[in-house]
């Protein structure tokens, strides 16, 4: 079981990882096959998750990579160190922007799941997996 499936399988309210439905003796497969399981979604929980992730994304953006190095650049203006600090600020700003964008994408997926709460674990997992690695 991969990461998204194991997380989704644990969403029964206990926080404990659950075995796939097909692995539970006597439990009929759901939706016509052992590889498909239904997630009981709490739309309010997904909306709250979406909101919280949106707030976190804004906080990450607000860290301001370029601003972090402004004082150093001014202190040694015109030197190689100032140029290196400027470049480091640009790199940090880019990295923070990428991280904030990824968090926003997760917020969108959670919000979309709240609006369309009849989601299978494979659909949700595939959306998270489609994000790829950072």
């Amino acid at each position: 079981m991969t990461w998204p499936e194991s997380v989704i399988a644990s969403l029964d309210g206990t926080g404990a990882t659950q075995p796939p439905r097909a692995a539970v003796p006597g439990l009929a497969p759901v939706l016509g096959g052992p590889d498909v399981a239904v997630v009981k979604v709490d739309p309010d929980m997904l909306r709250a998750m979406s909101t919280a992730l949106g707030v976190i994304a804004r906080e990450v953006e607000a860290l301001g990579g370029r601003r972090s190095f402004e004082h150093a650049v001014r202190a040694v203006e015109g030197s190689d160190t100032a140029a290196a600090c400027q470049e480091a600020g640009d790199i940090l700003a880019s990295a923070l922007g990428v991280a904030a964008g990824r968090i926003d994408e997760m917020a969108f997926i959670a919000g979309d799941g709240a609006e369309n709460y009849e989601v299978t674990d494979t659909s949700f997992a595939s959306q998270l997996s489609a994000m790829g690695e950072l």
Side-chain angles (χ1 to χ4, degrees):
M1 186 178 299
T2 62
W3 171 80
E5 288 87 8
S6 67
V7 170
I8 291 166
S10 70
L11 294 177
D12 67 348
T14 66
T17 302
Q18 302 296 313
R21 289 182 183 266
V24 178
L27 184 63
V30 179
L31 298 178
D35 295 331
V36 179
V38 173
V39 177
K40 293 181 182 177
V41 175
D42 179 349
D44 292 331
M45 184 176 69
L46 283 176
R47 283 185 196 94
M49 178 182 175
S50 178
T51 299
L53 287 170
V55 168
I56 292 168
R58 300 298 69 78
E59 290 173 353
V60 168
E61 280 180 332
L63 292 173
R66 287 183 185 89
R67 290 191 316 259
S68 301
F69 290 90
E70 285 176 354
H71 294 294
V73 170
R74 281 196 303 270
V76 291
E77 197 168 347
S79 69
D80 290 344
T81 302
C85 288
Q86 182 66 47
E87 184 178 352
D90 292 344
I91 292 168
L92 180 58
S94 176
L96 291 171
V98 169
R102 304 293 286 185
I103 296 167
D104 269 334
E105 191 172 353
M106 288 186 284
F108 175 79
I109 291 169
D112 189 50
E115 298 308 315
N116 304 296
Y117 63 86
E118 293 177 346
V119 178
T120 63
D121 67 337
T122 52
S123 172
F124 189 61
S126 69
Q127 288 180 11
L128 290 176
S129 295
M131 289 179 62
E133 294 296 319
L134 180 58

